[in-house]
Coordinates of all heavy atoms in Angstrom, one line a residue:
M1 N 0.8 -1.2 0.0 CA 0.0 0.0 0.0 C 0.9 1.3 0.0 O 0.6 2.2 -0.7 CB -0.9 0.0 1.2 CG -1.8 1.2 1.4 SD -3.2 1.1 0.3 CE -4.1 2.5 0.8
N2 N 1.9 1.2 0.8 CA 2.8 2.4 0.9 C 3.5 2.6 -0.4 O 3.7 3.7 -0.8 CB 3.8 2.2 2.1 CG 4.5 3.5 2.4 OD1 4.0 4.6 2.1 ND2 5.6 3.4 3.1
K3 N 3.9 1.5 -1.1 CA 4.6 1.6 -2.4 C 3.7 2.2 -3.4 O 4.1 3.1 -4.2 CB 5.1 0.3 -2.9 CG 6.4 -0.2 -2.2 CD 6.9 -1.5 -2.8 CE 8.2 -1.9 -2.2 NZ 8.7 -3.1 -2.9
A4 N 2.4 1.8 -3.4 CA 1.5 2.4 -4.4 C 1.3 3.8 -4.2 O 1.2 4.6 -5.1 CB 0.2 1.6 -4.3
F5 N 1.2 4.2 -2.9 CA 1.0 5.7 -2.6 C 2.2 6.5 -3.0 O 2.1 7.5 -3.6 CB 0.8 5.8 -1.1 CG 0.7 7.2 -0.6 CD1 -0.5 8.0 -0.9 CD2 1.7 7.9 0.1 CE1 -0.6 9.3 -0.5 CE2 1.6 9.2 0.5 CZ 0.4 9.9 0.2
L6 N 3.4 6.0 -2.7 CA 4.6 6.7 -3.1 C 4.8 6.8 -4.7 O 5.2 7.8 -5.2 CB 5.9 6.0 -2.5 CG 6.0 6.1 -1.0 CD1 7.2 5.3 -0.5 CD2 6.2 7.6 -0.6
A7 N 4.4 5.7 -5.4 CA 4.5 5.7 -6.8 C 3.5 6.7 -7.4 O 3.8 7.4 -8.3 CB 4.2 4.3 -7.4
T8 N 2.3 6.7 -6.8 CA 1.3 7.7 -7.3 C 1.7 9.1 -7.0 O 1.6 10.0 -7.9 CB -0.1 7.4 -6.6 OG1 -0.5 6.1 -6.8 CG2 -1.2 8.4 -7.1
R9 N 2.3 9.4 -5.9 CA 2.8 10.7 -5.5 C 3.9 11.1 -6.5 O 4.0 12.3 -6.9 CB 3.2 10.7 -4.1 CG 3.5 12.0 -3.5 CD 3.7 12.0 -2.0 NE 4.0 13.3 -1.6 CZ 4.3 13.6 -0.3 NH1 4.4 12.6 0.6 NH2 4.6 14.8 0.1
K10 N 4.8 10.2 -6.8 CA 5.9 10.5 -7.7 C 5.4 10.8 -9.1 O 5.8 11.7 -9.7 CB 6.9 9.3 -7.7 CG 8.1 9.6 -8.6 CD 9.0 8.4 -8.6 CE 10.2 8.6 -9.5 NZ 11.1 7.5 -9.6
F11 N 4.4 10.0 -9.5 CA 3.8 10.2 -10.8 C 3.1 11.6 -10.9 O 3.3 12.3 -11.9 CB 2.8 9.1 -11.2 CG 2.0 9.3 -12.4 CD1 2.7 9.1 -13.7 CD2 0.7 9.8 -12.5 CE1 2.0 9.3 -14.9 CE2 0.1 10.0 -13.6 CZ 0.7 9.7 -14.8
L12 N 2.4 12.0 -9.9 CA 1.7 13.3 -9.9 C 2.7 14.4 -9.8 O 2.4 15.5 -10.3 CB 0.6 13.3 -8.8 CG -0.6 12.4 -9.0 CD1 -1.5 12.4 -7.8 CD2 -1.3 12.7 -10.3
G13 N 3.8 14.2 -9.2 CA 4.8 15.3 -9.0 C 5.7 15.4 -10.2 O 6.4 16.4 -10.3
D14 N 5.7 14.5 -11.1 CA 6.5 14.6 -12.3 C 6.0 15.6 -13.2 O 4.9 15.6 -13.7 CB 6.6 13.2 -13.0 CG 7.5 13.2 -14.2 OD1 8.4 14.1 -14.2 OD2 7.4 12.3 -15.0
E15 N 6.8 16.7 -13.5 CA 6.4 17.8 -14.4 C 7.1 17.8 -15.7 O 7.0 18.7 -16.5 CB 6.6 19.1 -13.7 CG 5.8 19.3 -12.4 CD 5.9 20.7 -11.8 OE1 6.6 21.5 -12.4 OE2 5.4 20.9 -10.7
E16 N 7.8 16.7 -16.0 CA 8.5 16.6 -17.3 C 7.6 16.7 -18.5 O 7.8 17.4 -19.5 CB 9.4 15.4 -17.3 CG 10.4 15.4 -18.4 CD 11.4 14.3 -18.2 OE1 11.9 14.1 -17.1 OE2 11.7 13.6 -19.2
G17 N 6.5 16.0 -18.4 CA 5.5 16.0 -19.5 C 4.8 17.3 -19.6 O 4.4 17.7 -20.7
V18 N 4.6 18.0 -18.5 CA 3.9 19.3 -18.6 C 4.7 20.3 -19.4 O 4.2 21.1 -20.2 CB 3.7 19.8 -17.1 CG1 3.1 21.2 -17.1 CG2 2.8 18.9 -16.4
T19 N 6.0 20.2 -19.2 CA 6.9 21.1 -20.0 C 6.8 20.9 -21.5 O 6.7 21.9 -22.3 CB 8.4 20.9 -19.5 OG1 8.5 21.1 -18.1 CG2 9.3 21.9 -20.2
A20 N 6.7 19.7 -21.9 CA 6.6 19.4 -23.3 C 5.2 19.9 -23.8 O 5.1 20.4 -24.9 CB 6.7 17.8 -23.5
I21 N 4.2 19.7 -23.1 CA 2.9 20.2 -23.5 C 2.9 21.7 -23.6 O 2.3 22.3 -24.5 CB 1.8 19.8 -22.5 CG1 1.6 18.2 -22.6 CG2 0.5 20.5 -22.7 CD1 0.7 17.7 -21.5
E22 N 3.6 22.4 -22.6 CA 3.7 23.9 -22.7 C 4.4 24.3 -23.9 O 4.0 25.3 -24.6 CB 4.4 24.4 -21.4 CG 3.5 24.3 -20.2 CD 4.3 24.6 -18.9 OE1 5.6 24.7 -19.0 OE2 3.7 24.7 -17.9
Y23 N 5.5 23.7 -24.3 CA 6.2 24.0 -25.5 C 5.4 23.8 -26.7 O 5.4 24.6 -27.7 CB 7.5 23.2 -25.6 CG 8.6 23.7 -24.7 CD1 9.4 22.8 -24.0 CD2 8.9 25.1 -24.6 CE1 10.4 23.3 -23.1 CE2 9.9 25.5 -23.7 CZ 10.6 24.6 -23.0 OH 11.6 25.1 -22.2
G24 N 4.6 22.7 -26.7 CA 3.7 22.5 -27.8 C 2.6 23.5 -28.0 O 2.3 24.0 -29.1
L25 N 2.1 24.0 -26.9 CA 1.1 25.1 -26.9 C 1.7 26.4 -27.4 O 1.1 27.1 -28.1 CB 0.4 25.2 -25.5 CG -0.5 24.1 -25.1 CD1 -0.9 24.3 -23.7 CD2 -1.7 24.0 -26.0
I26 N 2.9 26.7 -26.9 CA 3.6 27.9 -27.4 C 3.8 27.8 -28.9 O 3.6 28.8 -29.6 CB 4.9 28.1 -26.6 CG1 4.5 28.5 -25.1 CG2 5.7 29.2 -27.2 CD1 5.7 28.4 -24.2
A27 N 4.3 26.7 -29.4 CA 4.5 26.5 -30.8 C 3.2 26.7 -31.6 O 3.2 27.3 -32.7 CB 5.2 25.2 -31.1
A28 N 2.1 26.1 -31.1 CA 0.9 26.3 -31.8 C 0.4 27.7 -31.8 O -0.1 28.2 -32.8 CB -0.2 25.4 -31.1
L29 N 0.6 28.4 -30.7 CA 0.2 29.9 -30.6 C 1.1 30.7 -31.6 O 0.5 31.6 -32.3 CB 0.4 30.4 -29.2 CG 0.0 31.8 -29.0 CD1 -1.5 32.0 -29.2 CD2 0.4 32.2 -27.6
I30 N 2.3 30.4 -31.7 CA 3.2 31.1 -32.6 C 2.8 30.8 -34.1 O 2.7 31.7 -34.9 CB 4.7 30.8 -32.4 CG1 5.1 31.3 -31.1 CG2 5.6 31.2 -33.6 CD1 6.5 30.9 -30.6
A31 N 2.4 29.6 -34.4 CA 2.0 29.2 -35.7 C 0.7 30.0 -36.1 O 0.6 30.5 -37.2 CB 1.8 27.7 -35.8
V32 N -0.2 30.1 -35.1 CA -1.5 30.8 -35.4 C -1.2 32.3 -35.6 O -1.8 32.9 -36.6 CB -2.5 30.6 -34.2 CG1 -3.7 31.6 -34.3 CG2 -3.0 29.2 -34.2
A33 N -0.3 32.9 -34.9 CA 0.1 34.3 -35.1 C 0.7 34.5 -36.4 O 0.4 35.5 -37.1 CB 1.0 34.7 -33.9
V34 N 1.6 33.6 -36.8 CA 2.2 33.8 -38.1 C 1.2 33.6 -39.3 O 1.2 34.4 -40.2 CB 3.4 32.7 -38.3 CG1 3.9 32.6 -39.7 CG2 4.5 33.0 -37.4
I35 N 0.3 32.7 -39.2 CA -0.7 32.5 -40.2 C -1.6 33.7 -40.3 O -1.9 34.2 -41.4 CB -1.5 31.2 -39.9 CG1 -0.6 30.0 -40.2 CG2 -2.7 31.1 -40.8 CD1 -1.2 28.7 -39.7
A36 N -2.0 34.2 -39.2 CA -2.9 35.4 -39.2 C -2.2 36.6 -39.7 O -2.7 37.4 -40.5 CB -3.4 35.7 -37.7
T37 N -0.9 36.8 -39.4 CA -0.1 37.9 -39.9 C 0.0 37.8 -41.4 O -0.1 38.8 -42.2 CB 1.3 38.0 -39.2 OG1 1.1 38.1 -37.8 CG2 2.1 39.2 -39.7
V38 N 0.4 36.6 -41.9 CA 0.6 36.4 -43.3 C -0.7 36.7 -44.1 O -0.8 37.3 -45.1 CB 1.1 35.0 -43.6 CG1 1.0 34.7 -45.1 CG2 2.6 34.9 -43.1
Y39 N -1.8 36.2 -43.5 CA -3.1 36.4 -44.1 C -3.5 37.9 -44.2 O -3.9 38.4 -45.3 CB -4.2 35.7 -43.3 CG -5.6 35.8 -43.9 CD1 -6.0 35.2 -45.0 CD2 -6.5 36.7 -43.3 CE1 -7.3 35.3 -45.6 CE2 -7.8 36.8 -43.8 CZ -8.2 36.2 -44.9 OH -9.4 36.3 -45.4
L40 N -3.3 38.6 -43.1 CA -3.7 40.1 -43.1 C -2.7 40.9 -44.0 O -3.2 41.7 -44.8 CB -3.6 40.6 -41.7 CG -4.7 40.1 -40.8 CD1 -4.5 40.6 -39.4 CD2 -6.1 40.4 -41.3
V41 N -1.4 40.6 -44.0 CA -0.5 41.3 -44.8 C -0.7 41.0 -46.3 O -0.6 41.8 -47.2 CB 1.0 41.1 -44.4 CG1 2.0 41.6 -45.3 CG2 1.2 41.7 -43.0
G42 N -1.0 39.7 -46.5 CA -1.3 39.3 -47.9 C -2.5 40.0 -48.5 O -2.4 40.4 -49.7
Q43 N -3.5 40.2 -47.7 CA -4.7 41.0 -48.2 C -4.3 42.4 -48.5 O -4.7 43.0 -49.5 CB -5.8 40.9 -47.2 CG -6.6 39.6 -47.2 CD -7.8 39.6 -46.3 OE1 -7.8 40.4 -45.4 NE2 -8.7 38.8 -46.6
E44 N -3.6 43.0 -47.7 CA -3.2 44.4 -47.9 C -2.3 44.5 -49.1 O -2.4 45.5 -49.9 CB -2.5 45.0 -46.6 CG -3.4 45.2 -45.5 CD -2.7 45.8 -44.3 OE1 -1.6 46.4 -44.4 OE2 -3.2 45.6 -43.1
L45 N -1.3 43.6 -49.2 CA -0.5 43.6 -50.4 C -1.2 43.4 -51.7 O -1.0 44.1 -52.7 CB 0.6 42.6 -50.3 CG 1.8 42.9 -49.4 CD1 2.8 41.7 -49.3 CD2 2.6 44.1 -49.9
D46 N -2.2 42.6 -51.6 CA -3.1 42.3 -52.8 C -3.8 43.6 -53.2 O -3.8 44.0 -54.4 CB -4.1 41.2 -52.5 CG -4.9 40.8 -53.7 OD1 -4.3 40.6 -54.8 OD2 -6.1 40.8 -53.6
S47 N -4.3 44.4 -52.3 CA -5.0 45.6 -52.6 C -4.0 46.7 -53.1 O -4.3 47.4 -54.1 CB -5.8 46.2 -51.4 OG -4.9 46.5 -50.4
V48 N -2.8 46.7 -52.6 CA -1.8 47.7 -53.1 C -1.4 47.3 -54.5 O -1.4 48.2 -55.4 CB -0.6 47.6 -52.2 CG1 0.6 48.4 -52.8 CG2 -0.9 48.2 -50.8
F49 N -1.2 46.1 -54.8 CA -0.8 45.7 -56.2 C -2.0 45.9 -57.2 O -1.7 46.3 -58.3 CB -0.3 44.2 -56.2 CG 1.1 44.1 -55.7 CD1 1.3 43.2 -54.7 CD2 2.1 44.8 -56.2 CE1 2.6 43.0 -54.1 CE2 3.4 44.6 -55.7 CZ 3.6 43.7 -54.7
K50 N -3.2 45.7 -56.7 CA -4.3 46.0 -57.6 C -4.4 47.5 -57.9 O -4.7 47.9 -59.1 CB -5.6 45.5 -57.0 CG -5.8 44.0 -57.0 CD -7.1 43.6 -56.4 CE -7.3 42.1 -56.5 NZ -8.5 41.6 -55.9
K51 N -4.2 48.3 -56.9 CA -4.2 49.8 -57.1 C -3.0 50.2 -58.1 O -3.2 51.0 -59.0 CB -4.0 50.5 -55.8 CG -4.1 52.0 -55.9 CD -4.1 52.7 -54.6 CE -4.2 54.2 -54.8 NZ -4.2 54.9 -53.5
I52 N -1.9 49.6 -57.9 CA -0.7 49.9 -58.8 C -1.1 49.5 -60.2 O -0.8 50.2 -61.2 CB 0.5 49.2 -58.3 CG1 1.0 49.8 -57.0 CG2 1.6 49.3 -59.4 CD1 2.2 49.1 -56.3
K53 N -1.7 48.3 -60.4 CA -2.1 47.8 -61.7 C -3.1 48.8 -62.4 O -3.0 49.1 -63.5 CB -2.7 46.4 -61.6 CG -3.2 45.9 -62.9 CD -3.9 44.5 -62.7 CE -4.5 44.1 -64.0 NZ -5.4 43.0 -63.9
T54 N -4.1 49.2 -61.6 CA -5.1 50.2 -62.1 C -4.4 51.5 -62.5 O -4.7 52.0 -63.6 CB -6.1 50.4 -61.0 OG1 -6.7 49.2 -60.6 CG2 -7.2 51.4 -61.6
C55 N -3.5 52.0 -61.7 CA -2.8 53.2 -62.0 C -1.9 53.1 -63.3 O -1.8 54.0 -64.0 CB -2.0 53.7 -60.8 SG -2.9 54.3 -59.4
L56 N -1.3 51.9 -63.5 CA -0.5 51.8 -64.6 C -1.3 51.6 -65.9 O -0.9 52.1 -67.0 CB 0.4 50.5 -64.4 CG 1.5 50.7 -63.4 CD1 2.3 49.3 -63.2 CD2 2.5 51.7 -63.8
T57 N -2.5 51.0 -65.8 CA -3.3 50.8 -67.0 C -4.2 52.0 -67.3 O -4.4 52.3 -68.5 CB -4.2 49.5 -66.9 OG1 -5.0 49.6 -65.7 CG2 -3.4 48.2 -66.8
T58 N -4.6 52.7 -66.3 CA -5.5 53.9 -66.5 C -5.0 55.0 -65.6 O -5.5 55.2 -64.5 CB -6.9 53.6 -66.1 OG1 -7.2 52.2 -66.5 CG2 -7.9 54.5 -66.8
P59 N -3.9 55.7 -66.0 CA -3.3 56.7 -65.1 C -4.3 57.8 -64.7 O -4.2 58.4 -63.7 CB -2.2 57.3 -66.0 CG -1.9 56.3 -67.0 CD -3.2 55.5 -67.2
A60 N -5.3 58.1 -65.6 CA -6.2 59.2 -65.2 C -7.1 58.8 -64.0 O -7.6 59.7 -63.3 CB -7.1 59.5 -66.4
S61 N -7.2 57.5 -63.7 CA -8.0 57.1 -62.6 C -7.3 57.3 -61.2 O -8.0 57.2 -60.2 CB -8.5 55.7 -62.7 OG -7.3 54.8 -62.6
C62 N -6.0 57.5 -61.2 CA -5.3 57.7 -60.0 C -5.2 59.2 -59.6 O -5.0 60.0 -60.5 CB -3.9 57.1 -60.2 SG -3.9 55.4 -60.4
G63 N -5.3 59.4 -58.3 CA -5.1 60.8 -57.9 C -3.7 61.2 -57.8 O -2.8 60.3 -57.8
S64 N -3.3 62.4 -57.8 CA -1.9 62.8 -57.8 C -1.3 62.7 -56.4 O -1.6 62.5 -55.4 CB -1.7 64.2 -58.3 OG -2.8 65.1 -58.2

């Protein structure tokens, strides 16, 4: 009985797996941030390039 209690206590006190889970969560959070940034910047770049294309094909449509 005492051995089972000590083994259970040792298992619950082991934080080695917790660290790996924390690193995994941090990596997932960074990946989400990178994806969101690329998506937002990509949309802005798309609109800038469309405006440049419009200005090059029809210069009168662009303001000075």
Side-chain angles (χ1 to χ4, degrees):
M1 176 80 174
N2 195 18
K3 282 186 176 184
F5 177 72
L6 290 175
T8 304
R9 191 170 179 186
K10 183 179 177 183
F11 175 75
L12 293 176
D14 185 18
E15 295 185 5
E16 195 168 311
V18 175
T19 304
I21 292 171
E22 288 171 351
Y23 284 135
L25 290 173
I26 290 170
L29 182 64
I30 291 171
V32 168
V34 168
I35 290 169
T37 303
V38 168
Y39 178 75
L40 293 174
V41 170
Q43 284 184 335
E44 289 181 26
L45 280 177
D46 187 48
S47 66
V48 168
F49 284 124
K50 284 181 181 177
K51 184 175 180 180
I52 292 171
K53 178 185 172 189
T54 303
C55 288
L56 288 174
T57 55
T58 324
S61 67
C62 294
S64 27

